[in-house]
Amino acid sequence: MSNFDASRRRVLKTGAIAGAGVALPTIFTASSAAAFTNEPTGGSVTLGFNVPQTGPYADEGADELRAYELAVEHLNGGGDGGMMNTFSSKALQGNGILGKKVEYVTGDTQTKSDAARASAKSMIEKDGAVMITGGSSSGVAIAVQGLCQEAGVIFMAGLTHSNDTTGKDKKANGFRHFFNGYMSGAALAPVLKNLYGTDRVAYHLTADYTWGWTQEESIAAATEALGWQTVNKVRTPLAATDFSSYIAPVLNSGADVLVLNHYGGNMVNSLTNAVQFGLREKVVNGKNFEIVVPLYSRLMAKGAGENVKGIHGSTNWHWTLQDEGSKAFVKSFGTKYGFPPSQAAHTCYVQTLLYADAVERAGSFNPCAVAEALEGFEFDGMGNGPTLYRAEDHQCFKDVLVVRGKENPTSEFDLLEVVEVTPRAQVEYAPDHPMFAGGNLGSCNPGA
């Protein structure tokens, strides 16, 4: 056993007794002509939940795990069923998946691609996972998606916002429910124009990996189309915790808007440093200095505290939405954990149900049958309005939210307010859009 395997926090749980005997997985073996990787042969099926339990995105990972546990509970007939009651598809019956009890293993991606791949590989080869999901970093998601394509299992991406996940790095075995950088730009630009006008000078600080790069490209293109200038784009290490040395040059750059292409703990720290430098009180070019956080979450808002007030960004989903699906999920999650779910929790819960539903509709765990059931699938009742899983790139298209930090929060969870629900049509794009070009979906790999 490697040091990584020895130190890895991996848990096998069932809905009944933790530690109960589990049938050995069939790994990369061909028991029949239609065999596929980890075909479940007993009374249970194992899913792999691979999330950042340490690192800058650990808060998101903790909430993802909560959502996965809730989804498994609902699939196995426990709790109140949550979104299974509001989901437009009625294939799920609360008796597991195809009558098999859902079990799961967990791993820590550490917000590192190599660690995430090792963790996912172990889940597939040692634990018999037939589907892998999770992650809060697009670098991790792309790495694990590639591994799942090679291994012949389905990857239901968790929180990943890089254009590349369903762009140049898309894979036939991978599917994304979460929105992306292009969609953030398309949703935010009209709001920023109304708020701040068309004559602005922007300075970008950007997390130096695939998500940051494509987020920066998307927001710069969308704002420059309004008439904004981009004065500088500076990359920052994902491992950075103090951004003072990156904030100081902004003061003399001539910029009157700072765009923080940061997420999780990075955003909390960079925004805090920006406020400490007095950026929010500055007047530049005769205009009040503004800060924009293109990808927002309630967990980030909580970490940044008072500093988020009035700052705009986009988000995939928010717990205050009043559609039946959102209300059902918030009730289930709140009853189990005592607080509302984050957007990370929402997308991970939904992805688990979408996978299980696709298996039921396909009548098989074969990844190619599952992929066929997901491609072109239109559904509702999952919290974002009518949604399409586009066949050409496995990207979900749905409404996107523009939010801002609330000036007068009523609780520790009431930190963001939805200022606009951007309709799906406004954030859609052609599969061959230049920001998503260069990849090839390829063919589904059933493995075995």
Side-chain angles (χ1 to χ4, degrees):
M1 180 179 285
S2 70
N3 289 336
F4 177 79
D5 285 329
S7 64
R8 178 164 158 248
R9 293 171 57 194
R10 189 174 74 238
V11 188
L12 181 64
K13 296 184 180 179
T14 72
I17 303 169
V22 181
L24 288 173
T26 57
I27 302 167
F28 304 109
T29 61
S31 57
S32 69
F36 52 90
T37 300
N38 293 337
E39 181 175 1
T41 55
S44 65
V45 58
T46 301
L47 309 181
F49 301 149
N50 204 21
V51 305
Q53 298 179 43
T54 56
Y57 296 168
D59 285 349
E60 310 286 334
D63 226 32
E64 289 177 344
L65 267 190
R66 295 181 190 109
Y68 286 134
E69 290 172 2
L70 183 64
V72 168
E73 183 179 304
H74 290 167
L75 289 171
N76 285 333
D80 61 9
M83 281 183 165
M84 282 169 49
N85 301 315
T86 61
F87 189 13
S88 56
S89 173
K90 301 303 176 188
L92 298 171
Q93 303 299 313
N95 62 343
I97 308 177
L98 289 184
K100 296 183 185 291
K101 190 175 198 63
V102 182
E103 298 174 344
Y104 65 91
V105 288
T106 72
D108 181 8
T109 68
Q110 303 174 42
T111 320
K112 297 175 182 175
S113 296
D114 289 347
R117 278 181 66 98
S119 182
K121 190 170 189 287
S122 181
M123 290 176 178
I124 295 166
E125 295 182 356
K126 295 182 179 177
D127 302 313
V130 73
M131 182 271 274
I132 301 292
T133 178
S136 286
S137 154
S138 290
V140 161
I142 288 167
V144 174
Q145 181 168 261
L147 174 81
C148 290
Q149 181 70 34
E150 296 161 13
V153 301
I154 289 290
F155 176 63
M156 299 296 283
L159 195 157
T160 169
H161 192 242
S162 171
N163 293 340
D164 292 346
T165 308
T166 46
K168 72 178 183 63
D169 295 305
K170 60 183 175 282
K171 295 287 185 287
N173 284 43
F175 292 83
R176 169 163 62 179
H177 171 262
F178 206 67
F179 71 144
N180 58 45
Y182 174 90
M183 294 174 177
S184 284
L188 271 172
V191 176
L192 297 178
K193 176 182 178 181
N194 291 339
L195 285 169
Y196 308 137
T198 58
D199 181 23
R200 284 284 185 166
V201 181
Y203 191 113
H204 288 252
L205 289 183
T206 300
D208 193 12
Y209 74 107
T210 177
W211 167 66
W213 307 332
T214 67
Q215 173 69 92
E216 175 190 275
E217 178 188 25
S218 300
I219 298 298
T223 53
E224 286 168 9
L226 303 176
W228 289 26
Q229 298 176 52
T230 304
V231 70
N232 209 351
K233 298 175 178 177
V234 177
R235 305 288 167 84
T236 63
L238 185 58
T241 55
D242 184 348
F243 293 86
S244 301
S245 62
Y246 297 100
I247 299 292
V250 179
L251 296 166
N252 300 311
S253 67
D256 48 47
V257 178
L258 174 62
V259 181
L260 292 177
N261 299 301
H262 289 156
Y263 196 73
N266 286 168
M267 173 270 182
V268 170
N269 292 328
S270 62
L271 178 59
T272 300
N273 289 152
V275 172
Q276 288 169 342
F277 271 81
L279 284 182
R280 300 200 69 181
E281 283 73 51
K282 284 181 69 68
V283 174
V284 180
N285 306 325
K287 306 176 185 72
N288 290 334
F289 194 98
E290 304 293 348
I291 300 174
V292 178
V293 177
L295 180 58
Y296 235 143
S297 82
R298 177 180 59 79
L299 298 176
M300 288 156 55
K302 182 180 179 183
E306 296 272 321
N307 298 331
V308 302
K309 291 185 175 184
I311 289 182
H312 287 74
S314 66
T315 191
N316 191 63
W317 176 86
H318 195 255
W319 68 272
T320 59
L321 291 175
Q322 291 302 299
D323 61 277
E324 293 305 310
S326 293
K327 289 196 290 186
F329 178 53
V330 171
K331 180 175 179 248
S332 291
F333 193 97
T335 299
K336 186 173 179 70
Y337 299 112
F339 48 85
S342 64
Q343 65 169 351
H346 169 257
T347 208
C348 288
Y349 176 92
V350 168
Q351 281 285 70
T352 309
L353 262 54
L354 287 171
Y355 169 79
D357 173 78
V359 174
E360 291 283 354
R361 289 186 292 110
S364 172
F365 287 97
N366 187 311
C368 296
V370 175
E372 190 175 338
L374 284 169
E375 288 180 340
F377 180 47
E378 295 201 55
F379 59 92
D380 203 348
M382 302 293 256
N384 287 98
T387 304
L388 166 69
Y389 240 132
R390 187 161 67 180
E392 290 87 346
D393 52 9
H394 297 181
Q395 172 66 55
C396 266
F397 288 91
K398 56 195 185 303
D399 295 346
V400 170
L401 308 181
V402 176
V403 295
R404 71 171 163 237
K406 207 162 186 179
E407 293 287 353
N408 298 298
T410 58
S411 75
E412 62 178 306
F413 309 110
D414 180 40
L415 303 176
L416 298 177
E417 57 186 333
V418 178
V419 297
E420 181 140 345
V421 178
T422 307
R424 171 175 141 188
Q426 188 178 315
V427 300
E428 289 178 332
Y429 53 87
D432 61 351
H433 186 283
M435 287 188 190
F436 297 84
N440 179 16
L441 196 64
S443 302
C444 168
N445 176 23

